[in-house]
Amino acid sequence: MPVDDRFELVIAANRLPVDRVVAPDGSVGWHRSPGGLVTAMESVMAGRDGVWVGWAGEPGEAPEPFDEAGMRLHPIALSAEEIEGYYEGFSNDTLWPIYHDVIVPAQFHREWWHAYREVNERFAQVLAEVAADGATVWVHDYQLQLVPAFLRQLRPDVRIGWFNHIPFPPVELFAQLPWRAAILEGLLGADFLGFQRRTDAGNFRRACRQLLGMTVRGDTVTADSGPDARLVRAAGVPISTDFKAMDRLARTPEVRERAKEIRASLGDPKHLLLGIDRLDYTKGIRHRLKAYQELLADGALDGSETTFIQIATPSRERIDAYIELKEQVEGTVGRINGEYSTIGSPAMEYLHRSYGREEMAALFLAADVMVVTPLRDGMNLVAKEYVACRYDDQGALVLSEFTGAAEELREAFMCNPHDVEGLKQTLLDAIHAGPDEQRRRMRRMRSAVRRHDVQTWADDFLSALEALPPAQHPGRGTTMTDPATTPAMNPTDPTDLGPTDVDPQDLDPVDLDPGLRAAIAAVAGLDRLLVASDFDGVLAPLVDDPSTSRAIPGTLEALDALSQLPGTTCAVVSGRDLETLLALTGLDGHERIAAVGSHGAQSTTDDTSTQALTPEQADQLAVLDAELSEVLARHPGVRIEHKPAGVVLHTRGLDPTVAEEATAEALVVGAEQRPAKVLRGKDVVEMSVVDANKGTALLELAAARGSQATVYLGDDVTDEQAFERLGPHDLTIKVGPGPTAARFRVTDATEVLEVLEQLLSARGGH
Ligand code: ADP
Ligand code: F6P
């Protein structure tokens, strides 16, 4: 709700959802802006109070803020030079090609960068003015990558999220940018960074590690150093469409009638193909037209009974690559029609304009085959919109494997648009698919989009942002925590079960999600199964003093009972050193449950490659030990913990000034010595000379025991490495809130116990 024109939820995007358009007669009108960002965020904001800050689409002074569709729109002014430098130049002629696999060469101009910086700073200033105390600010897309850091300087009290609607490039391409470090640092001003695919988030994290030398663990990057150190999460949160709204619209009599009219107006073709895209070289329009043209030329398709409607929304019309594309596409359309159309039955219908949602739905409903062939696309919402409109379970989707959508719409007719022969064959397969095949594929795709619609996407993003511990907000007077190194009591954390001597009988009965129950039953029947779990925060509640951490009664017993069943391997996998883990779990000498410590670097079983230190690593460890001992000598009360592959500095309970100084000195040691990992947690700095991870350890153990699947339960960032490495047939379960790559989520250790007990009983134990 607005507080004196300050808002709890603030959206920032390059464009407002509407563009101001001045007609030749001087009258002013507002037109819907192009692109997927606007479609998605319009739906999201329809149900929420908030303000949307963005450019109104024309040069000059910004109009006054105004209300539209229950939302406040706050225009930002851009001069004609800024549009050229910031928008057309840096955003769309430098970043856009680099972020889309350099389909056309990127242009680098310093003055464009300066304009980009200035406009980003202006956005941040306006955001700082309109955000209420502690507000959530959601910044969108590649045009505004510097906004998070600028805004954090101005308003450290707000939560900042950023979502990239386009791909994030592999580091080899990103590294070409002369301003690469400034861009990464700009983004790292956010608390949470969302990307279309996990691969994109991984590319971003790799860029932070390789180009800025930052520490990356799981989906988290440690930004800044010293007392300003913060954890920034970067994860895949794929965008979607408003399934219900599109489905509802497509079912209306008006839209169904219009769909029939569209077909009739084209001479009721036997096959109607459809492409709808912004006129952008990333969309693969040339490639699809070439394939279509060849199919007509080969005689595989007959122009008198086939029509291809290509809608190409005007986009970025002053940029050379777009001007060239328009000429080429229009030339090809002309040639196709000239050769293959007959009167009343066009081989192609080409439309270079925007349409309302009803007309779009009617087009989707009319088309037998939707052709989506980008060479690279963050998601491609058109593909999901087509599926959402096909309530009749008919129609076929041809989809490029280089779209984000391809990861979810697996029942589409997949194609590589660079492979013309392959694309031609895929088009024919889609055209000739019978009603039963269409129904089977469409049902599955609809179920995927229905389950994961735009509201789920926005909820996932915002709850990931809200779920970050308040400790990540230095402006609120707290320091960063790292749950992986320092299990700490968080009174607001629903996973906090309090004292460890809880009797499970006293806990509320739990009812697991039906999907999870089914997945447990499925893996329980396998001949050979690996069942593994993290310790702190999963088997044991998080406690203030890590040395008092204990598993809740029943969890280790359930693992023990599982380990007695044939074909069942059990393991506890932890970041703690092996000795401590064995002491805390009582697993020392346990012959059936393996204990894996130090994030996979130590183990009680030979079936994981416990890494012996190389001579270089041993030397580095000795230097770290010596340097941290000096920190200890300067600051009495500090404690040093020696691990086989690392060393940890503890400052818990010390006078805050002493703790701060010792921590800062330790981080300097880390920066100078550059061990494989430096983790700063609450009251600890942990350094390790090896980069072992839980994922590798689990894969090795599963392979050595011939396990057909792995069940893994974890709660923190290091467990994400395991979740990411395991496959779709494995059962991965995240405990507690926050973004995750796991397939399922449970809320707390009580539900962990329930999972283990259900697995035990389904596998024939007691
Ligand atoms: P991008 O964001 O790159 O433009 P998407 O496919 O993700 O690509 O999103 C495009 C959005 O614009 C979709 O919601 C689509 O329905 C809409 N759209 C595309 N072309 C038109 C058009 N000619 N008229 C109206 N809406 C369009
Ligand atoms: O996500 C892709 C995107 O670039 C959005 O940022 C934008 O809203 C849309 O496509 C349209 O591009 P433009 O705003 O440059 O017309």
Side-chain angles (χ1 to χ4, degrees):
M1 292 296 282
V3 183
D4 299 333
D5 278 323
R6 299 204 306 145
F7 294 78
E8 301 290 349
L9 177 61
V10 183
I11 302 299
N14 169 56
R15 278 182 190 280
L16 290 176
V18 284
D19 278 343
R20 187 165 183 271
V21 182
V22 183
D25 66 0
S27 60
V28 172
W30 292 92
H31 290 184
R32 190 166 181 278
S33 311
L37 184 160
V38 166
T39 316
M41 289 311 293
E42 253 182 354
S43 299
V44 168
M45 292 303 281
R48 302 166 204 253
D49 283 311
V51 62
W52 182 322
V53 175
W55 170 47
E58 57 164 15
E61 265 181 43
E64 283 301 306
F66 60 103
D67 292 324
E68 164 96 11
M71 194 185 356
R72 173 66 58 87
L73 302 187
H74 191 119
I76 294 255
L78 292 187
S79 67
E81 296 73 39
E82 285 169 340
I83 293 172
E84 217 177 306
Y86 146 78
Y87 170 69
E88 291 168 343
F90 198 77
S91 297
N92 289 322
D93 224 359
T94 306
L95 294 174
W96 184 266
I98 294 269
Y99 284 38
H100 286 90
D101 292 358
V102 200
I103 296 164
V104 306
Q107 310 293 325
F108 301 107
H109 296 294
R110 280 164 287 184
E111 59 277 22
W112 290 358
W113 163 249
H114 294 139
Y116 184 82
R117 255 189 79 91
E118 271 168 35
V119 172
N120 271 249
E121 202 164 359
R122 183 174 316 147
F123 264 85
Q125 276 156 1
V126 173
L127 295 174
E129 283 161 23
V130 299
D133 291 344
T136 294
V137 182
W138 188 355
V139 183
H140 290 261
D141 236 355
Y142 62 101
Q143 300 97 337
L144 302 181
Q145 294 176 97
L146 308 183
V147 168
F150 281 134
L151 179 59
R152 179 165 293 283
Q153 278 169 9
L154 298 168
R155 290 289 305 274
D157 62 300
V158 297
R159 282 182 193 265
I160 308 173
W162 176 82
F163 182 79
N164 200 29
H165 292 254
I166 68 172
F168 196 88
V171 65
E172 294 76 13
L173 292 181
F174 182 77
Q176 289 183 17
L177 283 166
W179 310 278
R180 61 201 190 182
I183 290 173
L184 294 176
E185 280 157 5
L187 290 173
L188 288 168
D191 296 287
F192 178 66
L193 299 165
F195 295 83
Q196 295 282 23
R197 300 170 308 156
R198 274 202 231 159
T199 312
D200 298 310
N203 287 345
F204 168 78
R205 296 191 300 258
R206 256 186 302 284
C208 291
R209 181 163 50 211
Q210 291 183 23
L211 303 174
L212 299 183
M214 286 182 166
T215 303
V216 174
R217 293 176 72 229
D219 65 6
T220 304
V221 179
T222 307
D224 301 326
S225 57
D228 295 330
R230 294 183 310 110
L231 295 179
V232 179
R233 303 197 103 167
V237 193
I239 200 168
S240 193
T241 190
D242 194 337
F243 180 90
K244 281 199 202 109
M246 295 300 290
D247 174 82
R248 209 180 303 125
L249 187 58
R251 290 174 193 265
T252 59
E254 296 78 9
V255 166
R256 287 157 52 188
E257 193 49 40
R258 176 67 192 140
K260 284 190 199 137
E261 266 174 40
I262 291 172
R263 290 192 77 108
S265 69
L266 298 167
D268 270 322
K270 188 167 167 199
H271 310 299
L272 180 57
L273 284 69
L274 174 65
I276 301 185
D277 318 74
R278 272 183 313 99
L279 188 44
D280 195 301
Y281 51 81
T282 57
K283 302 289 183 182
I285 301 172
R286 282 180 285 222
H287 296 63
R288 84 181 63 137
L289 294 190
K290 185 176 174 58
Y292 180 57
Q293 190 173 17
E294 287 192 15
L295 286 171
L296 292 168
D298 298 347
L301 290 178
D302 180 347
S304 67
E305 55 181 32
T306 312
T307 298
F308 194 135
I309 304 180
Q310 176 63 55
I311 296 178
T313 323
S315 186
R316 306 172 191 167
E317 294 188 285
R318 296 179 354 145
I319 300 173
D320 288 346
Y322 290 76
I323 296 171
E324 217 175 282
L325 172 73
K326 183 162 182 281
E327 280 166 11
Q328 290 173 350
V329 167
E330 292 181 356
T332 308
V333 168
R335 281 191 291 279
I336 292 176
N337 271 335
E339 283 202 39
Y340 303 105
S341 290
T342 49
I343 290 175
S345 306
M348 277 221 71
E349 191 79 6
Y350 170 77
L351 301 144
H352 184 234
R353 72 185 82 116
S354 282
Y355 291 94
R357 302 311 286 163
E358 292 77 7
E359 185 71 356
M360 296 286 284
L363 284 159
F364 288 137
L365 209 48
D368 301 311
V369 180
M370 182 79 220
V371 190
V372 180
T373 57
L375 308 180
R376 175 60 73 199
D377 206 336
M379 175 53 62
N380 198 284
L381 285 180
V382 166
K384 290 187 172 180
E385 288 166 2
Y386 178 65
V387 165
C389 284
R390 296 313 302 241
Y391 68 88
D392 57 353
D393 291 338
Q394 290 298 289
L397 173 64
V398 170
L399 182 60
S400 159
E401 59 195 62
F402 304 117
T403 59
E407 294 201 350
E408 293 165 84
L409 304 181
R410 296 189 181 276
E411 300 300 320
F413 289 85
M414 292 295 177
C415 68
N416 168 3
H418 297 282
D419 170 8
V420 182
E421 285 306 322
L423 177 54
K424 283 162 65 181
Q425 187 54 53
T426 309
L427 285 170
L428 290 177
D429 292 345
I431 287 170
H432 297 305
D436 289 346
E437 182 175 4
Q438 290 182 34
R439 187 171 303 107
R440 179 180 61 75
R441 290 175 181 257
M442 189 54 78
R443 277 192 180 158
R444 294 205 186 157
M445 292 193 289
R446 281 175 61 78
S447 144
V449 182
R450 187 187 290 112
R451 262 186 287 120
H452 182 80
D453 69 357
V454 73
Q455 298 300 343
T456 328
W457 164 74
D459 290 345
D460 285 352
F461 184 94
L462 290 171
S463 50
L465 182 55
E466 301 294 333
L468 294 170
Q472 289 203 25
H473 298 267
R476 295 182 182 156
T478 46
T479 53
M480 185 191 77
T481 57
D482 179 350
T485 48
T486 313
M489 182 77 99
N490 175 358
T492 61
D493 184 341
T495 64
D496 181 2
L497 291 177
T500 53
D501 55 346
V502 176
D503 184 335
Q505 304 300 324
D506 295 335
L507 299 170
D508 289 335
V510 287
D511 204 0
L512 296 181
D513 169 85
L516 174 54
R517 286 208 306 265
I520 293 172
V523 291
L526 296 173
D527 288 340
R528 288 177 312 284
L529 184 67
L530 168 60
V531 183
S533 173
D534 181 22
F535 180 66
D536 295 288
V538 180
L539 300 179
L542 300 178
V543 287
D544 210 3
D545 178 356
S547 66
T548 64
S549 189
R550 295 287 178 279
I552 67 164
T555 50
L556 284 170
E557 288 79 346
L559 269 186
D560 180 59
L562 276 162
S563 74
Q564 296 180 41
L565 300 177
T568 314
T569 299
C570 291
V572 178
V573 183
S574 168
R576 292 182 182 258
D577 73 87
L578 189 58
E579 206 181 319
T580 312
L581 181 65
L582 290 174
L584 293 177
T585 53
L587 289 177
D588 202 1
H590 195 293
E591 283 178 6
R592 292 180 311 273
I593 303 181
V596 179
S598 299
H599 306 294
Q602 294 178 287
S603 174
T604 53
T605 162
D606 290 335
D607 292 333
T608 65
S609 58
T610 47
Q611 301 171 11
L613 298 188
T614 62
E616 290 74 18
Q617 287 168 333
D619 285 347
Q620 192 182 35
L621 184 57
V623 174
L624 288 173
D625 264 335
E627 299 254 7
L628 289 190
S629 300
E630 283 188 31
V631 176
L632 169 70
R634 283 193 291 275
H635 303 287
V638 166
R639 292 179 309 283
I640 300 285
E641 182 190 349
H642 301 278
K643 287 186 169 186
V647 53
V648 191
L649 178 114
H650 291 268
T651 55
R652 184 180 298 259
L654 293 187
D655 170 85
T657 323
V658 177
E660 222 169 276
E661 284 175 7
T663 301
E665 285 182 26
L667 289 170
V668 170
V669 173
E672 282 171 1
Q673 299 302 327
R674 293 191 168 258
K677 278 199 258 177
V678 179
L679 302 171
R680 186 186 167 185
K682 189 167 183 293
D683 302 326
V684 290
V685 179
E686 174 166 357
M687 299 183 198
S688 170
V689 295
V690 296
D691 201 3
N693 79 64
K694 294 178 178 178
T696 324
L698 283 172
L699 293 183
E700 285 174 345
L701 188 52
R705 306 290 172 98
S707 305
Q708 293 151 294
T710 297
V711 177
Y712 187 64
L713 297 122
D715 73 325
D716 68 23
V717 287
T718 56
D719 299 310
E720 291 302 318
Q721 288 172 326
F723 294 148
E724 281 175 12
R725 296 296 296 274
L726 293 171
H729 54 288
D730 296 308
L731 175 49
T732 47
I733 306 170
K734 158 96 174 167
V735 182
T740 184
R743 286 171 56 204
F744 295 94
R745 188 188 299 275
V746 297
T747 53
D748 54 28
T750 326
E751 292 196 355
V752 169
L753 179 58
E754 184 65 23
V755 168
L756 293 174
E757 285 186 342
Q758 283 198 14
L759 183 59
L760 179 62
S761 112
R763 205 163 167 72
H766 39 270

